[in-house]
Amino acid sequence: MTERKIIHIDMDAFYASVEQRDHPELRGKPIAVGHAEERGVVAAASYEARRYGVRSAMSSQKAKRLCPSLIFVHGRMEVYKEVSRQIHDIFHEYTDLIEPISLDEAFLDVTENKPGIALAVDIAKEIKQKIRERLHLVASAGVSYNKFLAKIASDYRKPDGLCTIHPDQALEFIARLPIESFWGVGPVTAKRMHALGIHNGQQLRACSQEYLTREFGKAGILYYQFARGIDNRLVEAVRIRKSIGCERTLEKDISNRASVIIELYHVAVELVHRLENKDFRGNTLTLKIKFHDFRQITRSLTQNRELTTLDTILPLAKQLLKEVDYAEHPIRLIGLSVSNPHEEEDRRGVWEQLWLEFKD
């Protein structure tokens, strides 16, 4: 079997870099894409801002405390989408096996590529160069024999990075990798890993599959495989829309039940509108709550019927809300999504992010 050649391309500080490209007066300055008001959140931060500790999803108030000279710029999603399309035009010069992860990130399978270039790293170099020359933006690239390692490689030398992980280097590379760098290991899982004495890839590899499955469920199988450099997932050129969601960041934190129900109603109405526009049908409803301290939880319910109307969604949303203790923990954000669609043939080929919000 031919060894696969996978490239992961990740645009560096994408939204912020587009703004600095289009507005020369912002170049070299710390900027944040987002809103500066009291309830605002940073959608993206330039590398100049990141040096102060400013990060995406951070409250605007905290960002300004960390970087008093921070310049806020309103996002232009239509512009970012158009630039993303231009980036994908470059990808298609090499392969049509492209799996978008977000507007600024994608996997490419170049095992068989249009120019017939032997080395994937040479393709990655050309893509980075064309993005720089044509779009005046900077990308990082990772090259390896599977998606997990290509993703890790692209993060390894950012910004403007290029890293290749060869098969004969993979196990040694993974052994030194901090557990936080593993795909699917967020802050909560990392904390659990640390409590179990797992801090890096070598310690993860020492764990049996049975142990990891017992501790982390199905994800434990992935962790077991990743620790051994195994990832059999294919680059999927066609993505099926898995869910549709929407959310509201409230003007002020609330804990009064009546106020929460009113906000939940507004989110449910918006969700129904988006479901109608996309002709999307699913039977799992998920409630997302972010508290005043930015702690976040989700609660889900699956039904044996499609959730497409306010009459079916709002009662379930209220039922999920009953599981949330917000009397002593005021709510900052409320979100709802519908997922678990029936994968009908005529609905294939459409992809959409779960939560419709800025990410970088």
Side-chain angles (χ1 to χ4, degrees):
M1 183 177 177
T2 303
E3 185 174 276
R4 290 188 296 160
K5 301 173 184 177
I6 309 298
I7 299 174
H8 180 261
I9 300 290
D10 194 0
M11 300 301 297
D12 295 332
F14 182 48
Y15 300 164
S17 294
V18 171
E19 296 302 332
Q20 289 179 319
R21 180 197 70 177
D22 294 349
H23 300 94
E25 70 275 11
L26 298 177
R27 294 173 191 170
K29 297 180 181 179
I31 75 164
V33 177
H35 300 283
E37 64 265 18
E38 184 178 352
R39 306 293 296 177
V41 175
V42 174
S46 68
Y47 278 95
E48 294 86 355
R50 294 182 188 189
R51 296 190 188 104
Y52 292 85
V54 178
R55 296 288 184 270
S56 61
M58 177 180 289
S59 73
S60 299
Q61 296 303 305
K62 181 177 180 180
K64 286 191 287 188
R65 288 196 298 271
L66 290 172
C67 180
S69 60
L70 188 64
I71 301 170
F72 277 86
V73 181
H74 289 293
R76 299 179 295 157
M77 185 54 69
E78 288 307 313
V79 174
Y80 309 146
K81 287 180 179 178
E82 176 57 31
V83 175
S84 181
R85 282 190 284 269
Q86 293 168 354
I87 293 168
H88 278 250
D89 287 344
I90 294 173
F91 295 163
H92 279 287
E93 294 177 18
Y94 298 90
T95 180
D96 293 325
L97 286 176
I98 302 165
E99 181 178 341
I101 304 303
S102 61
L103 289 180
D104 60 343
E105 185 180 359
F107 287 103
L108 289 69
D109 188 329
V110 296
T111 308
E112 296 181 6
N113 57 85
K114 295 177 182 180
I117 298 174
L119 297 178
V121 67
D122 290 336
I123 296 176
K125 288 177 182 177
E126 287 193 13
I127 289 174
K128 280 170 53 66
Q129 186 65 24
K130 287 180 178 180
I131 290 173
R132 185 186 295 273
E133 291 177 352
R134 297 182 191 176
L135 305 179
H136 307 290
L137 295 170
V138 177
S140 289
V143 181
S144 197
Y145 61 91
N146 63 37
K147 289 164 72 173
F148 165 64
L149 288 169
K151 167 68 173 172
I152 295 299
S154 70
D155 290 335
Y156 195 62
R157 293 180 178 142
K158 288 177 72 73
D160 197 18
L162 176 60
C163 177
T164 300
I165 302 177
H166 295 283
D168 56 355
Q169 301 170 335
L171 291 181
E172 182 181 351
F173 186 94
I174 294 169
R176 302 193 305 268
L177 200 64
I179 203 64
E180 292 84 355
S181 297
F182 276 73
W183 202 345
V185 178
V188 175
T189 302
K191 187 175 180 180
R192 289 184 59 199
M193 291 270 194
H194 292 165
L196 296 171
I198 304 171
H199 299 272
N200 55 44
Q202 182 174 348
Q203 292 168 333
L204 181 63
R205 195 181 304 155
C207 299
S208 68
Q209 181 170 312
E210 292 74 18
Y211 176 76
L212 292 173
T213 303
R214 186 170 66 249
E215 293 292 336
F216 301 101
K218 291 181 180 179
I221 299 174
L222 278 179
Y223 300 149
Y224 178 85
Q225 293 175 339
F226 288 168
R228 289 157 178 77
I230 300 169
D231 182 4
N232 296 320
R233 295 171 302 167
L234 299 176
V235 173
E236 300 177 2
V238 176
R239 297 288 296 273
I240 301 168
R241 184 196 298 130
K242 297 297 185 181
S243 61
I244 282 184
C246 57
E247 59 187 33
R248 289 167 66 98
T249 297
L250 309 178
E251 292 185 4
K252 62 179 181 178
D253 302 333
I254 58 175
S255 58
N256 176 271
R257 184 177 184 279
S259 299
V260 174
I261 293 296
I262 291 172
E263 295 297 341
L264 186 68
Y265 170 82
H266 290 308
V267 176
V269 169
E270 174 63 20
L271 176 60
V272 170
H273 177 68
R274 293 186 179 187
L275 292 170
E276 290 175 349
N277 283 345
K278 298 294 184 181
D279 189 26
F280 182 87
R281 295 173 176 85
N283 60 0
T284 296
L285 182 70
T286 298
L287 170 70
K288 173 182 176 181
I289 296 291
K290 185 179 291 184
F291 297 105
H292 67 106
D293 58 0
F294 283 81
R295 183 170 57 89
Q296 181 175 299
I297 63 169
T298 59
R299 299 289 184 267
S300 298
L301 272 175
T302 298
Q303 303 289 290
N304 57 6
R305 57 178 174 169
E306 293 179 339
L307 305 176
T308 58
T309 67
L310 189 63
D311 289 341
T312 57
I313 289 173
L314 187 58
L316 290 178
K318 291 179 180 178
Q319 185 176 338
L320 290 170
L321 185 64
K322 290 179 180 178
E323 301 177 19
V324 180
D325 177 17
Y326 55 86
E328 302 296 330
H329 307 282
I331 294 174
R332 174 187 178 86
L333 175 148
I334 299 176
L336 288 172
S337 72
V338 169
S339 59
N340 198 20
H342 299 291
E343 296 180 359
E344 302 168 4
E345 288 300 320
D346 62 348
R347 305 165 80 88
R348 292 182 180 272
V350 186
W351 176 81
E352 188 162 320
Q353 288 174 235
L354 171 60
W355 299 105
L356 306 181
E357 60 183 352
F358 283 141
K359 294 170 71 179
D360 190 40

